[in-house]
Every structure is written in C-alpha cells, then in structure tokens.
Amino acid sequence: MRRHLIWMFLLLCACAWAEPATLRVGILSFEDPRNLYQDLRAQSKVLKQALHLTPSFAIGTYGELFHWLENDLIDVAVINSGQLSRLAQEKWQYIGSAATTGHEPAYLSVILTRKNSGLTNFKDVQAAGPRLRLLAVDPLSVSGFIHPISALKQNGVDITPEQIRFSYSHSNSLRWLAQADGPEIACVWASTWERNPNPDLQVIEVPGLDQYHSLPVALVARRGAPTTPGLARLVAAGRFPGFQYDPDYMNEADKIPDTLPGALNSLYGRPLDRVGMDDLVMTLHHYNLTHDKPARLAVVLAGGGAKCSYQAGAVRALEESLQTWSKRLDDNQLEMRLVVGTSGGAINALSVAMGLTSTPDGYTALSSAWSDLDQSEIICPPLAVRINLWCWLACVTALVILAINWTLRLGKPRSMVLTLVVGLSMYLVSHLPLRMVLGTDSNIQHVWAWLSWGIEGAGLVLVVVAVTGFLTLRRDRRSNRVVHRTGSLVRLAIGGVTLLPLLQVWTVFCFEEVVSENRGIERALTRNFGQLIQRQSGDSEPIAGLTIKQLSQRVFEKKLLKRDLVLAASPLTDPELQLPGEMYFYASPLNSPEPSFGNRGIPLVKRPELLFDALLGSAAIYPLFPARTIYDLPKPGQKVDLVDGSFAHRSPLEPAVLWGATHVLILEASTLEPTVRGNLLNNFGASLTYLYDEAQLVDVRLRGQTVLYTLYPSAPHIGLLDFSPHLIRGSIEKGYREASGAPTSAYQKGGALHKELGPPIFWTP
C-alpha cells in the first residue's frame, strides 16, 4: 500500500512538472509597441525554462493595469512608478525595473504644441489662461501628467480638470496634438518625442521641467504567491530579459508627489469615471495598436419608449467621432461592430445596424421617422373604450350647449344648429395637426392626445343628435305638436357624465386585455421603416402595401444590415414550452463567430421573416400593448408571445458580452433622477421601480466583464409616451449635444459618459 502511494505521489509530481503553472502578467502600454511581442516571447521562454511557468500576457492602459492589480486579476505586472507609488506595499512586491540603455534622455518630460497654435513660447502659455487646453497621457502617468503639471503650477499656470483631455499613451498624444486646433499643449515623454518627431509640432520650454526625472517601468509581483520568490531570484541574478534589480528604486518612487495642485488631486490615483466621446475613441485606438485583433465595440440601446429618441442623436455623435478620428489616426478599424437593442431601443438598433446614422442624410431620415411617430396614432384604445369616451365627451359638450341654450333662450331650432356646428367643429379639429403648435409641454400634449381619441367620435355623436333633433322638430311641426324634452336631455347628459367613467373603469380593468391595440404602432413602424428600407436599398420598387414579413425579408434580400444586430425580447411564460426568460434575435452580416446564446438565440438568417415581428414584440410594453405572437417558434407547430424586452433587460448588456464585445457603449433612455417617495401613490411607484430594477441583476453582474461606457440623458427628459414632433426633435438634438460635448461636472447626474474598466484579455505567446 505504501509503495502505491509513493508511485502516485511521483506521478503527480511528474504531471505538475510536465504542465507548467500559468502566470497572469499585465503589461503597461504607454506608447506604440516597439518589438513588444518579440520581448514578451523572450521573457516567456525564460519563465518556462527557469521557473516552469506558462505566462499569459494582458496589455492595458494605466487605468486598466491599476484596476487589474487592485482586483487581483493578475499575478505579475509591468507598471510605471506612478502606479507603484499608489499600490498597497503589503500586497505587492517590487521585483525589478527596466534596464536602462543610456539612450533614453533621463526619462524627462517635454511640453509640445503645434506650430500654428499661437503658442510660440512659455509666456504665450501663461497668457492663454482658461482658453488653454492640456493633452495629458493619464492621471497615473508621471512624465505625461504628474511632473509637467507640477512644473506648470510652479510657474503660475493653473490647470483645471475641465481643461484636460487624456490620450492614454504618449504616441496617441503626438497624433492627437497634430490634429488639434486652438491653444493646446501636450505632456509627452521625451524619448517618445525623440523617436517620433513631427514637423508640425514644436517644444515649449517650461522653466524647471528638466529637474523632474521619471523612473523606468517596474516589475511587481503578488506577495506570498508561490511564483514570486523564484521570479525575484531570476531578476536579481540578471537572467530575466530587460529587467534588473535596483535597491534605490522604491526610495525614488516615494518622492513622487502624493498630491497635485487644487482640483487636479481628485484625478490622481484613480481611473476617470466621467469622460467624453474622445476617451472612448482613443481607448479603442490604443486597443487596436496593442492587440492582434481589433476592438469589437458594441452599442447597447436601452428601452424607454419615446425617450429612446435621445439615442438617435447620441449614436450620430459617436459615428462622427469614429469617422473623424479614423482618418486622423489612420486607423480603419475604429468601427462599431455590434448593435443590441430592446423595447424602444430596438427601433434604433435596427436603424443603426442598417447604417442610417453613419451618413448625414441617413440620420436626417431617421430623425424624420422618429418625428413622424404620433401619440394619438401609436396609442389606439380598443373600440369599447373609444365609444365610451365618445359618449362621455358628447355628454359634457351637450351640458355646455344646454347651458348656453338656457342662458340665451335660443329655442330648439337654434339649439340644434349650435349642436350641429359644435359637432362638425369637433370633428374637423380632430383632424388638424394641432400637436405642431402645442409647444413642448408634455402635459399639454398628453391632454390633447387624450382628447383627440374622443372628440372625433363625440363630434359625430353630436351631429347625429342635431340631425335627429331637426327631424324630430320637423315631424312635430307637421303634427302641430310642441314637445319640451330639455329636462330629459339634461338628466341623460348628467347621467352620462357621472356613470360613463365608472363603466370605463370596469371596461378597462375587467373586460379589455390591454390599454391600446397594436395596429397603430404597427402601421406607424411599417410606414416609416418602409421608407427607410426603400431609401437604403436605393430601389424604386414600391414599398407601400408590403406586409411586416415582406418588409423583414426585404432587409435580408437587399443585404441592408451593415453591423451585427441583436434584438432582445421577453417571452411570456408557458410551462409547457419551458421558454427561457429572454430571447435574442440576431443577425451577423460581418460573419462573426456564433454567439453563445444557447436556446435563447434565434438566428434571423434562418427566419428572416421574423425581423419586424421581433422588433414589435420587443417594443410591446405589456399590458399597455398586446403581446406579439410568433408562430413556429421555438419549434414548428408551436407559438410564443413576445413582450417588452425591458422586462428582463432594460439595458441588454448580456448579449453584447456573450457575443465577444471588448468595449460596450450603453445609451440609456432614462435619467439618473432618484425615485420620489412620500404619499401612497409615490411609494407604490417606487416599489414597482425597485422590483423592475431587481429584474436587471443579470446585466448588473456583468458590469466589469468588459470596458463599459454609459451615457444617461440629463434631467429633465421627455416621458415614455411623449410622441410629439417638438418633444422628439428636442430629445434627438439633446442626445447629439450631450454625446458630442465635453464631460460635464462630476456632480451633474447625466449628460456625460460614465466609464467602467473591464477584465484583462490574455494572450499566450
């Protein structure tokens, strides 16, 4: 027995020796990679031979490396002295630092500007004042932020956070500065400037800047890890390529300032959480330069009804930024590759996937389609509800007419004439485009929408009453009879005004299944998307009269999708079918690898006729609108009822992560205003909001699985059902303005991108 145990132990040791342990290594990329992968392969070879370790490398920015270190996502890291000075020394151990070759100009900083910027010397920089803009590398970059800021402060130049933009690499700063305009300066490592001189740029001599010397990058490892002692011995013996042990390094790192002047100290030592669109673009560009595959940017469009019009403007701002910087940086991989939408965001998702927002004309067409959506058309109450409303408004109007008749003593003939005129006027007014002149007050728009559902029918009811009155009056005159029915009419009108609302409540809650029929929104979307499809296809073949299924097939026949697309919808539960909690209808015109959606994924390439059914199902705010029934799903002979995708995913981050997104931009439709509590009604609404938010935990838990940017509309914002041309156009313009603008105050709850860093993506040589 003992002999068997010994042999088992030796076998386990042999297996451990045959399969080296994995070492997770994070590498700081502070400029364009130079022989980076060649160096990593050499270091990987040494680790395998000397320590029997198989390293996996992840390349990231300053903020990403610091995030990975703080969250124990890596074992070893190559970082700069600014990051090292902020790390917990009881957790991380200095192993060594980059061996200097004597070529680098003492790790100095330089401040550059364009030759046509109007800044010829340091006095011009001092005189620029608040107009001056500073392009820095990162809040944790010593040569690209900390030392230059300190030197400027010493010479009386105060920089505020609003004046600063970050590029995340010294090479990016050179490219960005060359394309900038106005009085702008950049803080760059002198060695990067020496290797990449630009004839359009010049150095600004800042007094005392040459006194600030940075340190080379450092190699750190987790204290207590079994691999750390062996790595330390390897570096101390001079056997690890590119690194050496420096006993004075930590003392020099401790001399880096712990604080920066004024409000800039809030930026130091942590990743930025409120940024502008340029930050997203530069992050994508940096990723493309340091990884073998380009970044896969996904845009996630949250639900929110009319509020989603905000997203159309925001996406256009993103498109412009990507196109502009793609040319400036000569990076044709700066692209949006995946679009995910749900509810009202699904409308935008299909439009963006078709490329409408990529051109000014397409964006104008999409804006016009949004403005064409009318609340009185989209919300179409069932017939019984409308008849009740017609009769109630007719009774209210009849009481007013009877009051006028009693006051002016008009008599029955004139009273019938007045009733006829009022009825015809109400009918005509209901067909006038009054929403265009009612302004931007959503309450007024809602009142008019409510009235517009009833005044047309109420007008017809009054016309019928007037005509009946005339016929009765004529008959009475022929028979020489005079009949007074005013009292009966008053009692009838008062009874209608009193009892019809009670009947309406019973009808809505106990008789009807939904508040609105689906035909209005179906008609509006068919009309508008039909025009958009015809525009994108450049086809003169008429679209009018095509069914939903035919329109869906037209999108695939004409190959109108330019980006990968996911539409998220929620199936109503069915115990027999055992349906998943959500369904993802997806299409991949980019021929991307199949997503790992499992039984939740419905490939539209196999069922192209379901495209608009999925969109309408995702947008069906149940029970405001009826569910969208889809047949032969999930299997032939079965059917499923789809409702608003926001029930499971208000901001469907999960499908973006599951389909390989490296970076995600979530465009919300709702603001960050806190839920109001107080009276019973407010508390009831707050409890529903809480339950709704709890249903989003899947997406909440996925935050941190990718680099995530989120844009919330600033308050106040339009409402869920504010489908009015004025309100919609204002919302679209607001989305464009806030997405393309600079980041605002950290105390403002919306109108700027919120940034969250993601996990490392490892690469094994």
Side-chain angles (χ1 to χ4, degrees), residues 304-306 372-383 385-386 389-390 435 442 445-454 456 508 514-525 527 619-621 623-626 719-724:
D372 184 63
L373 298 178
D374 193 301
Q375 186 178 139
S376 59
E377 178 186 24
I378 291 177
I379 301 178
C380 183
L383 181 60
V385 175
R386 282 180 283 141
L389 185 57
W390 297 346
R435 298 181 67 87
S442 61
Q445 294 284 349
H446 289 321
V447 170
W448 170 247
W450 183 77
L451 289 174
S452 64
W453 298 325
E456 178 184 15
V508 170
V514 292
V515 176
S516 172
E517 297 174 346
N518 218 13
R519 55 189 176 89
I521 188 171
E522 181 174 332
R523 181 172 59 246
L525 290 179
R527 178 180 67 248
I621 307 174
L624 178 60
F625 295 102
L720 182 73
L721 300 176
D722 284 342
F723 291 100
S724 161

Side-chain angles (χ1 to χ4, degrees), residues 43-104:
Q43 294 165 356
S44 177
K45 183 178 180 180
V46 171
L47 290 172
K48 288 180 179 178
Q49 292 178 348
L51 300 180
H52 305 289
L53 296 173
T54 299
S56 294
F57 297 98
I59 303 169
T61 63
Y62 293 82
E64 288 173 334
L65 257 295
F66 199 76
H67 173 71
W68 300 343
L69 288 164
E70 284 192 318
N71 292 277
D72 298 331
L73 299 175
I74 50 180
D75 307 308
V76 176
V78 178
I79 60 176
N80 80 327
S81 54
Q83 295 168 306
L84 179 58
S85 66
R86 307 292 292 188
L87 279 180
Q89 298 301 314
E90 68 276 5
K91 188 175 181 180
W92 293 95
Q93 175 183 339
Y94 166 77
I95 301 297
S97 49
T100 57
T101 62
H103 175 71
E104 288 81 2

Side-chain angles (χ1 to χ4, degrees), residues 2 36 89 299 327 348 485 533 568 589 683 690 695 723 755:
R2 183 179 301 173
L36 175 63
Q89 298 301 314
V299 174
K327 295 178 181 177
N348 287 321
R485 298 188 179 89
I533 290 171
N683 291 341
Y690 172 76
F723 291 100
K755 182 178 181 180

Side-chain angles (χ1 to χ4, degrees), residues 549 585 607 610 613-614 617 628-634 638-642:
K549 295 188 185 309
F585 296 82
R607 299 288 304 275
L610 296 183
D613 279 318
R628 187 77 179 181
T629 301
I630 298 184
Y631 296 92
D632 296 325
L633 194 76
Q638 297 177 337
K639 65 178 182 179
V640 62
D641 292 328
L642 293 181

Side-chain angles (χ1 to χ4, degrees), residues 307-329:
K307 297 185 288 185
C308 295
S309 55
Y310 174 91
Q311 299 166 347
V315 173
R316 177 56 189 163
L318 171 63
E319 299 264 26
E320 289 182 349
S321 186
L322 290 173
Q323 292 168 4
T324 298
W325 285 108
S326 178
K327 295 178 181 177
R328 290 182 177 181
L329 302 173

